[in-house]
Amino acid sequence: MSTYAVTPVRAVIFDFHATLVDQGEPDTWLDQALARADTANPLDESERAALLRRLDDIWIHAREVDPRSERDLSAELHHDVFHEVMRGHVPDDLRGALYEVMFDQWVAYEEAPRVIGELRRRGIRTAILSNIGIDLRPIMEREGLVPDAIVLSCEVGVVTPAPGIFEAALAMLGARAEETVMVGDNWADDAAASALGIRTLILPRTRGRNHGLEIVLQLTD
């Protein structure tokens, strides 16, 4: 009977949004925006409920107006697509306030900094990879996420599921595909890493402060 050796894991690539950080609760997001906008047109109960549903699925709606994810190639497009998605659903001043406080809602799952730190302690190189049109470094610093490499679509000029962004991550890590694990939340985008031979773990979006990232440590034992 033949046996096959499994290449040890020497590098881990993490998706950012809904993998390492939760996007927060739409109620809190809306209330912070309302406080900043000081809008003269308060929302009634039905309007608030509809807006909360839209905010909770904001990036799903974004794909309707931006199917090629061009918003993830520049800060200007990221801003413009958000406003296009929300146009007609909220007053202009509230729409602007929602965008301004959006990034304050992104909070790391409580185990995320610990898992990345433990991987690095074990000598396993880590990268955070994201389809995003803005620089995430200030948010990573705020949330205690300290990888060896940061791979942003707006900087490398390619978005998942295209292989180029994963290839960029491998190059930054100095790692081969077969010794790397990709951890994400989206089968359509993040699992595309498997086409390059990168072992892939999909943890769908969860609610609450923990996302189950400790399983990554088991993969590298």
Side-chain angles (χ1 to χ4, degrees), residues 2 10 15-16 24 30 42 63 68-69 77 79 98 103 106 110 120-121 145 154-155 170 197:
S2 299
R10 296 190 173 90
D15 170 56
F16 182 75
L30 178 55
R63 293 178 183 179
R68 295 192 299 175
S69 295
L77 287 172
H79 173 277
L98 282 165
F103 308 110
W106 296 358
E110 62 182 17
R120 297 187 69 192
R121 188 191 68 79
L145 301 172
C154 62
E155 294 180 350
L170 292 175

Side-chain angles (χ1 to χ4, degrees), residues 95-164:
R95 190 171 70 240
L98 282 165
Y99 190 81
E100 290 173 6
V101 302
M102 173 171 58
F103 308 110
D104 296 335
Q105 315 308 311
W106 296 358
V107 178
Y109 290 110
E110 62 182 17
E111 78 276 23
R114 183 175 68 253
V115 168
I116 291 178
E118 175 61 18
L119 289 172
R120 297 187 69 192
R121 188 191 68 79
R122 296 180 183 184
I124 296 171
R125 292 181 60 76
T126 61
I128 295 179
L129 177 153
S130 182
N131 281 351
I132 193 70
I134 65 164
D135 184 4
L136 292 175
R137 289 175 182 83
I139 300 173
M140 293 180 196
E141 182 177 355
R142 183 191 74 201
E143 297 302 312
L145 301 172
V146 187
D148 295 293
I150 297 172
V151 188
L152 307 179
S153 59
C154 62
E155 294 180 350
V156 300
V158 61
V159 301
T160 63

Side-chain angles (χ1 to χ4, degrees), residues 21-40:
V21 301
D22 179 45
Q23 71 181 32
E25 294 298 327
D27 289 89
T28 304
W29 183 6
L30 178 55
D31 287 342
Q32 289 185 7
L34 285 167
R36 176 168 297 201
D38 193 24
T39 179

Side-chain angles (χ1 to χ4, degrees), residues 161 166 182 184-196 198 200-202:
F166 302 110
M182 172 70 202
D185 70 293
N186 186 296
W187 68 267
D189 292 334
D190 303 322
S194 62
L196 297 177
I198 298 172
T200 305
L201 173 65
I202 299 298

